[in-house]
């Protein structure tokens, strides 16, 4: 895997370099959003269960 430019050190690199262009980046973004959504739903269900148990006096 080589860089798309000719340089011997980082001092010779100028401008923006976007290595994710053209890759499967959209898949990973969607996967991350899905994980966040699942975590939010599971957290909401847990909090609802805990609130109901505290309201009913069950620990």
């Amino acid at each position: 895997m080589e860089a798309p430019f000719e340089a011997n050190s980082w001092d010779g690199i100028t401008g923006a370099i976007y290595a994710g262009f053209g890759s499967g980046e959209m898949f990973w973004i969607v996967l991350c959003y899905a994980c966040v959504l699942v975590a939010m739903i599971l957290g909401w269900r847990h909090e609802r269960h805990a609130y109901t148990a505290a309201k009913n006096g069950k620990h």
Side-chain angles (χ1 to χ4, degrees), residues 21-35:
F21 183 72
S23 65
E25 182 184 10
M26 185 55 71
F27 168 75
W28 293 109
I29 290 173
V30 170
L31 183 65
C32 288
Y33 280 140
C35 288

